[in-house]
Amino acid sequence: MAVAPWLGDLVAQIDARLRAVFAEAAERARATSPRAHELAEAVAELTLRGGKRLRPAALFASMRAVDEDAPIERALDASVALELLQSYLLIQDDWMDDDLERRGGPSVHAVLRRQVGNERLGDSLAILAGDLAAGMAWELLAAAPFPRGRAREALKAFGEMHWEVVLGQQLDLVGHADVGLTHRLKTGSYTVRGPMQLGALLGDATAAQLDALQHFADPLGVAFQVRDDLLGSFGRRGDVGKPIGADLRAGKRTALIAEAQSLLSEADGALLDRVLGNASAPDEDVERATDALLRSGVRERLEARIDALASEANAALASASLSEQGRTMLGELVELLVHRDR
Amino acid sequence: MAVAPWLGDLVAQIDARLRAVFAEAAERARATSPRAHELAEAVAELTLRGGKRLRPAALFASMRAVDEDAPIERALDASVALELLQSYLLIQDDWMDDDLERRGGPSVHAVLRRQVGNERLGDSLAILAGDLAAGMAWELLAAAPFPRGRAREALKAFGEMHWEVVLGQQLDLVGHADVGLTHRLKTGSYTVRGPMQLGALLGDATAAQLDALQHFADPLGVAFQVRDDLLGSFGRRGDVGKPIGADLRAGKRTALIAEAQSLLSEADGALLDRVLGNASAPDEDVERATDALLRSGVRERLEARIDALASEANAALASASLSEQGRTMLGELVELLVHRDR
């Protein structure tokens, strides 16, 4: 889909603010210790390398829905805080999964391992780089220009995001059976609901507006997760279905797999069970299981669910007292979050 | 030394508040996910197992120096935030050094490794337990009862502590030559200056009072570090000098070692260099080096420095506009921080 003009502007301004924040961090690093810049640079490099800035988009649309004259400037520090929280989580996530790549470059622990020539030390330094990012995120949020009396609510919302995402990561690591809950904790509050709450507070929202935005955010957050699952399993929307054999062999029990199991014939269900998490499953079985998944109709079912959730989100806006400009942006946000290609 | 009565009261109240905070975290964990309590309990267990609550003592004395009628209650949440920040740092520190013991029990990664029967997974969960503690610390601080308009300064001070201590840990890990800077970053701002600043803000301090307390805190922080070094090298004050051979063999280049080198004869200096960081140094050499350190007068020199720093701290109070009660407490704080036995 084409990117809305407001979003292009926002991303450019966020990136400019990120660069300013990292220039200031470099200054501060120099004043702190002769090695501090190494950690600060690792965080900067990862954060500036990419990222779709979806969370800032949710925050900004929400702020404008409440106060259509709020200047973009007001949204920047809280947006940067969200991006830094994200960097902190990615750094830890990559280390925990030992993923050596992220956003088309080396992950932070991979960079630091190479830099110091020692795996264990590099890993410890990566954890510290994450700590630095988290601390900076909290600092920025604490200093962001919330209207009088709203900063405390914003910090509370940020704490809730931090808490949930850490516990979602725990469930993911221990391979908890309730994949829906894992996904909800990992992405729910800190991708959609949390950023929208921060945006609404920046706009000095009434209780009714906060409530309406939450009723918008909750189904949208779930739709975002379902899209994530579909993209993880089948690739881009235009694709006929990229081979998902590797995922099956790795045994990642996604929400999609759980859903598919209820749709499969007994024989196909048994086949899927044999392949799932079985690194030495014969190629032929993996291909047949992939085929069964595609034929099961799970993809169409999840696409339909996404549409229903998106309608539910849009309906929550209908009765709310929000600006026209904001409504339009929120509608575009729905498209952005649930009809994305990556 | 005898513990001042106010300190005993304070520690009891802090511990009660810690238990209340952890009971609430257990509730919140149950509401979040079926596994959340495992991380919350690991944090609670470490935090409640011990700790001298020195940081809350610094915070409280400082609050009372500014506002002698401030109720103890007002100091509790910020104190708990300091203890949780401390737990987060200890969890990470122990994992990075692979220390399996802390405060007379297993360290958090040791507990979690055993709990899940997998070293790598246990380590990742320990990092997440630390994250939880850090998030809770920020949340508590953000909600603490700072007088109107002072919360932002308090959060800024907390951010500064977080930043410095992470970068101190980095220098420690990479074995940076400037051990004074490492120590200053690791303990300076978050042991004395930061807690005192938070206490002063809780008491709604004037700029002049904040300034006086900082002039008190800075030499006190350095004295605290020197005492730490002495205790690490020679043990309790009454001891004749516990064998420090293990430290020498491990090659830990403490501030004490650096200081001693300037006092030793050329031959003894060369001997120390041969032993330092040399795991296979003969016992006889290690004993002679230990002996040389004791004879060098470094201990007496550092004791004299501590006394001078304590006097400097006390002098900073003389001209300041602080309550009599607070002055007395701050004087007792000096004793507590620099004449401690462990």
Side-chain angles (χ1 to χ4, degrees), chain B residues 292-314:
Chain B
L293 276 182
L294 286 170
R295 277 186 292 97
S296 73
V298 68
R299 193 174 179 174
E300 294 72 17
R301 185 190 272 211
L302 293 183
E303 286 291 354
R305 183 170 312 156
I306 287 175
D307 289 341
L309 287 161
S311 302
E312 192 188 330
N314 284 322

Side-chain angles (χ1 to χ4, degrees), chain A:
Chain A
M1 57 169 268
V3 170
W6 64 269
L7 190 64
D9 288 353
L10 179 70
V11 169
Q13 294 226 29
I14 302 277
D15 285 1
R17 179 60 61 104
L18 274 169
R19 282 191 294 273
V21 164
F22 287 123
E24 208 179 295
E27 226 17 84
R28 188 178 178 188
R30 263 190 295 276
T32 309
S33 99
R35 302 291 296 262
H37 66 99
E38 295 171 22
L39 298 186
E41 275 163 17
V43 174
E45 213 271 310
L46 174 74
T47 312
L48 293 170
R49 194 192 298 155
K52 299 184 284 296
R53 318 295 183 219
L54 295 178
R55 293 164 187 85
L59 179 148
F60 184 69
S62 194
M63 177 179 86
R64 281 287 174 85
V66 170
D67 175 0
E68 64 183 346
D69 299 321
I72 197 169
E73 169 70 25
R74 197 193 295 167
L76 296 181
D77 280 345
S79 294
V80 168
L82 289 169
E83 292 295 313
L84 284 168
L85 187 72
Q86 165 82 337
S87 291
Y88 150 71
L89 298 166
L90 294 177
I91 291 170
Q92 290 200 351
D93 200 76
D94 288 341
W95 170 70
M96 289 174 190
D97 298 340
D98 204 10
D99 277 335
L100 299 175
E101 278 198 33
R102 171 66 70 177
R103 294 180 172 171
S107 58
V108 167
H109 71 285
V111 170
L112 292 168
R113 279 177 182 182
R114 204 174 43 215
Q115 210 160 295
V116 296
N118 175 324
E119 199 164 300
R120 169 105 195 154
L121 178 59
D123 291 354
S124 295
L125 294 173
I127 294 302
L128 293 176
D131 290 341
L132 213 62
M136 286 170 69
W138 276 98
E139 282 185 302
L140 277 160
L141 196 82
F146 287 95
R148 180 176 287 275
R150 308 311 291 264
R152 192 168 280 211
E153 286 165 87
L155 286 158
K156 190 161 184 263
F158 205 67
E160 192 61 27
M161 292 157 70
H162 193 173
W163 168 272
E164 288 194 2
V165 81
V166 165
L167 293 169
Q169 177 70 0
Q170 178 203 19
L171 286 189
D172 204 3
L173 283 179
V174 300
H176 189 68
D178 188 344
V179 289
L181 176 61
T182 303
H183 213 148
R184 205 153 58 242
L185 289 172
K186 277 192 81 165
T187 68
S189 84
Y190 109 98
T191 303
V192 188
R193 192 172 67 248
M196 290 192 65
Q197 210 176 335
L198 296 181
L201 291 167
L202 283 166
D204 208 5
T206 62
Q209 287 172 322
L210 274 167
D211 199 53
L213 288 169
Q214 182 171 334
H215 281 100
F216 170 80
D218 286 345
L220 185 57
V222 179
F224 175 87
Q225 292 157 34
V226 178
R227 172 62 60 211
D228 232 29
D229 248 13
L230 275 171
L231 288 170
S233 302
F234 297 110
R236 287 162 174 274
R237 293 220 300 157
D239 296 357
V240 185
K242 69 162 188 185
I244 57 174
D247 277 2
L248 292 180
R249 278 205 174 97
K252 225 171 165 154
R253 194 173 284 276
T254 63
L256 182 136
I257 297 284
E259 183 90 24
Q261 265 161 333
S262 71
L263 293 171
L264 293 174
S265 69
E266 204 169 317
D268 284 342
L271 173 69
L272 187 62
D273 279 342
R274 276 204 308 281
V275 168
L276 209 62
N278 176 3
S280 60
D283 283 353
E284 198 198 307
D285 281 5
V286 175
E287 267 169 47
R288 282 173 51 223
T290 304
D291 217 51
L293 276 182
L294 286 170
R295 276 185 294 95
S296 72
V298 66
R299 192 175 179 173
E300 294 72 17
R301 185 189 272 214
L302 294 183
E303 287 290 353
R305 184 170 309 154
I306 287 175
D307 289 342
L309 287 161
S311 301
E312 193 188 327
N314 284 323
L317 295 182
S319 60
S321 160
L322 299 169
S323 78
E324 269 320 303
Q325 183 205 65
R327 262 177 227 280
T328 307
M329 285 174 154
L330 291 169
E332 287 166 348
L333 185 69
V334 173
E335 291 304 303
L336 187 71
L337 291 176
V338 307
H339 292 145
R340 66 207 152 90
D341 272 344
R342 61 186 178 101

